[in-house]
Amino acid sequence: MKNLKKILLSLVIASAIGGVSTIAVAETDPGRITYAPAEAIDMVAAKVKLAIDAVSTGSDGETVAKLIKDALDASKEINANDKVDMARSRANNKLKAARAHAKENALQEAEQELRNAYKGFQDLKGML
């Protein structure tokens, strides 16, 4: 009886470990596009640049805020390592600050934050 409990416990532990590792190695969802880290960084930097250009051309705060939101959403695709993720998080914080400024129509402050975020995302390439 004691051996049966040990065998059963071993099977439960093995299946739990197997289930967790299967999730960790699972491929992306069908139809979902995945990007290499450098491609994702370039994509986000391009979206930030669009927001900077929108401020320069006199777009309203709401339009700029939407462009910043697109850049924030795209930044989730940057997957490399913990060091890159920490730096990405700092650059995202600058984007969030820029978005808050844009919503308040403080476009000069938003532009400065966007420029800082752009530099932050460009610096990520050196960490790959």
Side-chain angles (χ1 to χ4, degrees):
M1 188 67 159
K2 211 173 198 181
N3 284 339
L4 183 61
K5 284 183 181 180
K6 286 182 181 180
I7 292 171
L8 190 58
L9 181 61
S10 297
L11 287 172
V12 168
I13 291 172
S15 64
I17 291 172
V20 170
S21 66
T22 302
I23 292 169
V25 181
E27 302 231 355
T28 60
D29 297 330
R32 182 171 184 271
I33 299 171
T34 56
Y35 300 94
E39 290 175 349
I41 291 168
D42 288 339
M43 179 176 63
V44 173
K47 289 180 183 281
V48 173
K49 186 75 171 118
L50 279 174
I52 293 170
D53 292 344
V55 171
S56 299
T57 59
S59 294
D60 63 298
E62 185 179 327
T63 302
V64 174
K66 286 180 184 176
L67 291 169
I68 295 169
K69 175 74 168 114
D70 289 344
L72 279 167
D73 290 344
S75 74
K76 296 172 187 173
E77 297 296 328
I78 301 172
N79 295 315
N81 57 42
D82 290 342
K83 187 176 173 184
V84 170
D85 193 51
M86 293 288 287
R88 180 192 63 81
S89 180
R90 285 191 294 274
N92 267 0
N93 289 338
K94 292 172 184 157
L95 282 179
K96 289 175 184 175
R99 186 169 180 229
H101 288 306
K103 285 182 174 181
E104 297 167 355
N105 280 322
L107 296 180
Q108 278 188 331
E109 292 86 353
E111 183 177 15
Q112 186 57 48
E113 292 289 351
L114 284 167
R115 291 188 187 284
N116 292 337
Y118 182 79
K119 183 181 181 326
F121 283 110
Q122 290 297 324
D123 291 346
L124 292 179
K125 288 182 182 179
M127 296 180 189
L128 297 178

